[in-house]
Every structure is written in C-alpha cells, then in structure tokens.
Amino acid sequence: LTTLGRNGVKPDTVAATALLDACSRSGEVELTKSVFDRLFRPYDYESDDAEASTSSLIAPDEVTFTILLRTLMKTEPPQWSAASALLIKMEHEYGMPPSTNLFNILLYTCARVNDTDRGLALLDKMQDIGVPADEGSLAAVSKRKALRAQVKRMLR
C-alpha cells in the first residue's frame, strides 16, 4: 500500500474494508486491529517514516468501523475499553459521530453478556447525544427486560 501511495494510486475504502472483514471473520482480533491501524492511519506518502504522518492513506467509513466494533465485541470478555477508544477516534479523528447501528452493536453485546448497567448507560448516552433508537435497538436488547423497556420508551 505504501508503494501504491507513492506512485499516486490511492487504494479505496471498499477494498481495505473487505480485507478488514476477512481478518475479522478469521477470528484474529489482534490482526484485525493491526490491519485497521495500518490501513487507516494517517500516512505521509513522501516519507518512509510512518510517524511523520500528514494525511490518511484510506478514509474509513461507517462499514469499516462496524466491522472493527463487531470484532471487539465478539471477544470474551468484550473489549469495552478498545470499543470506547474506537468510538472516540471515529468522532475526533475522522469526524464521524457514532450512529444508531454502532450503538446497536454495543447494546446487543450488553444483552448477550447480561450487562444491564452498561446497556442502560449506553441508552442514556444515545439520548444525551441525540442518537435515536430504532427497531434494531429493540431487537438487540429483546432478551433483557430492563433494556427492552428503556428502548421502547425511547421509540415513543
């Protein structure tokens, strides 16, 4: 990818995200995180020094973040700290606020591991920052009464 960038060929987000998805489906969480960091970090095409970064080699999109977040949430236990850092990076470095879809991944994980307190805190955060719940949110928490009740209130 570095060579492509130096030659003026910019790899696209779809191809890079497909590679990330393949890593994720292999179950290799650390590899998936590493591929994300390498493909989507800022990079200076003119320098061999990756730390001298000035522009992004490839811009991630919501699908990219969805794949990485799902990967982090599939682990036992889920990688909550890494997920939180990812959402902060998404918003601050890439200007993309978390979407309902991304919150639904987190909510599903809360329901799966029976972490009602975290789920309720996530639902509160959604309301605080103006991210609406949807039918996917309801499906994500369908097996947890307290979470389901809160999502139903949000849908009214």
Side-chain angles (χ1 to χ4, degrees):
L1 290 175
T2 303
T3 303
L4 288 173
R6 284 193 184 128
N7 291 326
V9 177
K10 191 171 183 179
D12 73 357
T13 302
V14 174
T17 300
L19 176 60
L20 190 71
D21 189 40
C23 294
S24 176
R25 289 176 190 269
S26 76
E28 296 290 335
V29 176
E30 293 307 314
L31 176 62
T32 304
K33 289 171 21 179
S34 175
V35 166
F36 176 87
D37 289 340
R38 293 200 55 148
L39 291 178
F40 297 102
R41 74 181 149 129
Y43 193 84
D44 181 354
Y45 297 118
E46 302 302 317
S47 172
D48 288 331
D49 181 7
E51 300 307 314
S53 303
T54 58
S55 64
S56 182
L57 181 59
I58 306 169
D61 60 14
E62 185 171 348
V63 175
T64 308
F65 286 106
T66 297
I67 290 167
L68 186 53
L69 187 61
R70 279 193 180 130
T71 302
L72 298 171
M73 294 295 94
K74 285 191 286 188
T75 63
E76 291 299 333
Q79 294 185 23
W80 293 111
S81 294
S84 179
L86 178 66
L87 295 178
I88 290 167
K89 176 185 266 192
M90 180 181 171
E91 188 158 16
H92 291 101
E93 291 182 27
Y94 297 101
M96 298 172 61
S99 65
T100 301
N101 181 51
L102 293 173
F103 272 102
N104 288 348
I105 293 167
L106 299 171
L107 291 170
Y108 174 82
T109 304
C110 289
R112 179 178 61 82
V113 300
N114 200 21
D115 192 343
T116 302
D117 290 340
R118 188 183 309 265
L120 290 171
L122 284 167
L123 290 168
D124 287 344
K125 182 172 181 157
M126 286 174 71
Q127 287 183 303
D128 290 347
I129 65 174
V131 176
D134 63 9
E135 291 301 317
S137 308
L138 190 57
V141 300
S142 65
K143 296 181 180 175
R144 300 288 175 231
K145 185 177 182 181
L147 297 176
R148 187 176 61 240
Q150 180 65 17
V151 170
K152 284 182 178 180
R153 281 192 288 278
M154 290 170 69
L155 288 173
R156 289 188 199 137

